[in-house]
């Protein structure tokens, strides 16, 4: 049986009528980017919500505009139309203050031909006059408009009730939906990289459909878009993000918001796929993104995209490996996957590499094994002298995973030099086969019972 969880409520309308603000209000948190500019939303954004006891998937879409199919606006409209085709209910949002425009009437007529249930939402209808202004939407011929102010929260409770009532009752499950697909938490995989590295193209290739907007224009993706995927090993939440440039080059307010959303996605991810344009080589900004992922303790996989355009693959691979070894040593042994998202070459190796990185990142090591490793590491390279006395490291245990984190106890352990800590990290990585994952060592000094000549 099909459950409420699979019911899709799609929010559409022309640009700048407040679709994303309404979407966020219904979801109950800020998911979609919002700015006082038209056309901020470009890709369909999805999020679960519970409305009057009904579990739904809300879908925010790009503003509907008349444009040639090959243009960016035309491709945005095609994405919105695809979302409508899979909708159980459509919310057509209009601007009550601006009144009904010819574009509103045109898209309302198009909606009537789609055979989908529709609710007309007259947004920006705050205050005493808002209700009267909203009545003009009767002209669209799609039933009584529901007056709301998404910005101020007015009328949202009433709208939720209308949505719950308009949703179809339980029917047969949609093709391809698995009843137990959501039983386990998905692996959160954030796709990051510089603009035009091919992040959205890679996601489309993984999905087997043109889900994300792509094209020659840089910076097409703006928001952090979450997309579910199911592979042989289980559920994955793909997160497409805006291209990250150096902070000094980010000027436009929307790009600043997009960069902030991408960094927030990095912090919430389990695994970060750093997509690099292999034809251009490894850039300083690529390395900076890798360092950010390591600092946040995320597992990382390097994607060498556009590998089919590389003229000397062996030479390119060696150059990238040398650069990673020199500039990203804290992720030594990081997995690199050469592929072409455009042609599909090598893409089959990507998700297994992600799963492997996630397994390493989540690995737990027994305490006895850790202390045997510690004894061997100390014997091979004893700790340095400090104030004429050698530091004594006594024992260690793993405090947590994701990333692997050890607590190391010993007299004056907190004064251990960084160079010796790096030696221990590298030795641990080699002994327990932990390539490419961040490793943390927390140093805890043990108390000397005869400190200051006083016996405890």
């Amino acid at each position: 049986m099909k459950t409420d969880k699979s019911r899709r409520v799609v929010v559409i309308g022309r640009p700048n009528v407040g679709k994303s603000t309404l979407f966020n209000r219904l979801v109950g948190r800020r998911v979609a980017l919002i700015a006082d500019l038209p056309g901020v939303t470009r890709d369909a954004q999805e999020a679960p919500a519970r409305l009057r006891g009904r579990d739904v998937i809300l879908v925010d879409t790009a503003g509907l505009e008349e444009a040639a199919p090959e243009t960016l606006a035309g491709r945005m409209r095609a994405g919105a139309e695809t979302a409508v085709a899979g909708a159980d209910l459509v919310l057509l949002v209009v601007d009550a203050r601006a009144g009904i425009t010819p574009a509103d009437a045109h898209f309302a007529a198009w909606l009537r031909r789609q055979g989908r249930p529709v609710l007309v939402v007259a947004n920006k209808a705050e205050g005493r006059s808002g209700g009267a202004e909203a009545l003009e939407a009767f002209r669209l011929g799609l039933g009584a408009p529901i007056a709301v102010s998404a910005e101020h929260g007015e009328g949202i409770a009433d709208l939720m009730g209308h949505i719950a009532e308009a949703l179809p009752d339980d029917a047969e499950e949609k093709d391809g939906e698995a009843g137990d697909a959501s039983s386990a938490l998905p692996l959160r995989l954030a796709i990051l990289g510089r603009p035009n590295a091919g992040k959205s193209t890679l996601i489309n290739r993984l999905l087997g459909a043109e889900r994300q907007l792509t094209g020659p224009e840089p910076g097409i993706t703006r928001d952090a878009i979450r997309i579910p995927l199911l592979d042989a090993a289980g559920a994955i939440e793909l997160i497409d993000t805006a291209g990250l440039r150096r902070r000094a080059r980010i000027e436009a307010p929307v790009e600043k918001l997009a960069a902030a959303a991408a960094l927030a996605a990095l912090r919430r991810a389990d695994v970060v796929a750093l997509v690099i344009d292999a034809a251009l080589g490894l850039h300083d900004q690529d390395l900076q993104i890798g360092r950010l992922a390591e600092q946040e303790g995320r597992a990382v996989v390097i994607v060498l995209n556009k590998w089919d355009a590389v003229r000397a693959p062996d030479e390119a691979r060696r150059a990238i490996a040398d650069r990673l070894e020199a500039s990203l040593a804290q992720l030594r042994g990081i997995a690199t996957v050469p592929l072409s998202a455009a042609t599909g070459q090598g893409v089959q190796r990507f998700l297994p590499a992600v799963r492997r990185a996630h397994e390493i990142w989540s690995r737990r090591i027994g305490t006895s094994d850790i202390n045997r490793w510690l004894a061997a590491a100390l014997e091979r390279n004893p700790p340095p002298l400090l104030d004429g006395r050698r530091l004594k490291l006594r024992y260690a245990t793993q405090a947590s995973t994701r990333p692997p984190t050890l607590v190391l106890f010993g007299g004056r352990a907190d004064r251990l030099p960084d160079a010796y800590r790096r030696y221990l990290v590298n030795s641990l990585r080699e002994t327990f086969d932990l390539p490419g994952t961040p490793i943390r060592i927390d140093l805890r000094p043990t108390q000397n019972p005869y400190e200051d000549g006083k016996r405890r």
Side-chain angles (χ1 to χ4, degrees):
M1 294 294 289
K2 179 176 174 178
T3 66
D4 284 349
K5 288 183 180 298
S6 61
R7 297 299 187 190
R8 299 175 71 81
V9 179
V10 176
V11 183
I12 71 165
R14 58 186 177 82
N16 226 32
V17 295
K19 298 184 300 298
S20 294
T21 305
L22 178 64
F23 173 81
N24 287 344
R25 181 71 69 174
L26 291 172
V27 171
R29 58 190 174 90
R30 183 166 181 158
V31 177
L33 284 182
I34 298 175
D36 193 18
L37 294 167
V40 172
T41 301
R42 290 178 170 175
D43 290 291
Q45 173 79 283
E46 299 183 2
R50 188 169 180 82
L51 309 178
R52 290 291 187 270
R54 304 292 298 270
D55 291 314
V56 303
I57 297 295
L58 284 167
V59 184
D60 188 22
T61 62
L64 292 170
E65 297 181 83
E66 282 295 329
E70 66 275 8
T71 65
L72 177 57
R75 300 199 303 274
M76 290 163 60
R77 176 182 171 178
E81 291 174 349
T82 299
V84 168
D88 294 294
L89 177 65
V90 177
L91 304 184
L92 174 61
V93 184
V94 298
D95 185 337
R97 288 199 300 250
I100 300 303
T101 68
D104 292 323
H106 171 77
F107 292 119
W110 172 77
L111 263 181
R112 285 196 296 271
R113 298 192 296 270
Q114 305 311 304
R116 292 285 184 271
V118 179
L119 292 178
V120 178
V121 182
N123 191 30
K124 306 183 185 180
E126 53 271 316
R128 293 181 179 179
S129 62
E133 294 171 339
L135 293 178
E136 188 182 354
F138 266 110
R139 292 170 42 198
L140 297 176
L142 291 169
I146 304 165
V148 304
S149 171
E151 183 177 359
H152 301 287
E154 297 177 15
I156 298 299
D158 187 38
L159 173 60
M160 289 180 177
H162 282 286
I163 293 172
E165 291 175 4
L167 283 172
D169 293 330
D170 287 347
E172 289 301 314
E173 205 168 55
K174 286 183 179 178
D175 291 341
E177 289 183 344
D180 60 351
S182 60
S183 59
L185 289 176
L187 185 158
R188 290 169 296 184
L189 173 59
I191 313 293
L192 278 84
R194 293 191 293 138
N196 261 25
K199 301 180 294 297
S200 296
T201 304
L202 175 60
I203 285 183
N204 287 343
R205 177 64 62 177
L206 294 172
L207 296 172
E210 293 299 310
R211 170 63 172 78
Q212 296 297 91
L213 283 177
T214 60
E217 306 92 342
I220 289 178
T221 302
R222 286 177 167 174
D223 215 334
I225 309 296
R226 290 161 178 77
I227 309 160
L229 173 68
L230 196 63
D231 71 350
I236 296 175
E237 182 184 67
L238 296 171
I239 310 172
D240 193 12
T241 64
L244 290 173
R245 300 194 297 164
R246 285 190 301 174
R247 185 177 300 177
R249 294 187 177 182
I250 299 176
E251 298 177 355
V254 172
E255 188 177 1
K256 290 180 181 179
L257 290 172
L263 294 176
L266 180 152
R267 296 183 182 101
R268 289 193 297 267
D270 299 326
V271 182
V272 170
L274 176 53
V275 181
I276 295 168
D277 186 336
L280 299 178
L282 199 58
H283 193 273
D284 288 343
Q285 180 64 10
D286 299 320
L287 294 170
Q288 181 60 25
I289 296 171
R291 294 186 191 105
L292 284 172
E294 192 280 332
Q295 290 166 13
E296 293 294 334
R298 306 301 94 185
V300 183
V301 171
I302 303 289
V303 177
L304 306 179
N305 192 26
K306 307 183 185 181
W307 194 250
D308 54 329
V310 176
R311 295 183 177 180
D314 292 340
E315 183 179 336
R317 191 190 285 272
R318 282 195 299 271
I320 290 172
D322 291 345
R323 187 85 189 277
L324 289 172
E325 180 68 24
S327 302
L328 208 57
Q330 59 270 49
L331 292 174
R332 180 171 295 173
I334 189 169
T336 57
V337 183
L339 56 81
S340 170
T343 67
Q345 174 191 343
V347 173
Q348 74 279 2
R349 295 192 293 268
F350 172 60
L351 288 181
V354 168
R355 292 287 185 186
R356 164 72 173 163
H358 184 263
E359 183 275 324
I360 294 170
W361 184 66
S362 307
R363 187 175 298 171
R364 181 168 290 279
I365 307 168
T367 300
S368 58
D369 292 331
I370 290 174
N371 283 285
R372 280 194 291 271
W373 156 78
L374 179 62
L378 296 178
E379 182 178 357
R380 189 164 51 247
N381 183 11
L385 296 173
L386 190 64
D387 298 330
R389 292 186 298 161
R390 191 171 301 281
L391 293 175
K392 293 184 178 180
L393 303 178
R394 304 185 184 281
Y395 64 96
T397 187
Q398 184 170 359
S400 63
T401 61
R402 303 184 176 189
T405 302
L406 268 62
V407 179
L408 190 59
F409 298 88
R412 299 183 298 166
D414 56 331
R415 299 178 66 183
L416 195 70
D418 288 342
Y420 196 81
R421 187 198 296 247
R422 287 193 295 271
Y423 158 71
L424 292 176
V425 167
N426 290 333
S427 174
L428 185 77
R429 192 186 302 281
E430 181 179 349
T431 301
F432 295 106
D433 189 25
L434 302 171
T437 199
I439 294 176
R440 305 285 189 255
I441 293 183
D442 186 11
L443 301 169
R444 303 278 181 88
T446 53
Q447 185 67 46
N448 184 347
Y450 295 97
E451 187 179 3
D452 299 327
K454 297 179 181 179
R455 187 184 184 97
R456 289 182 175 270

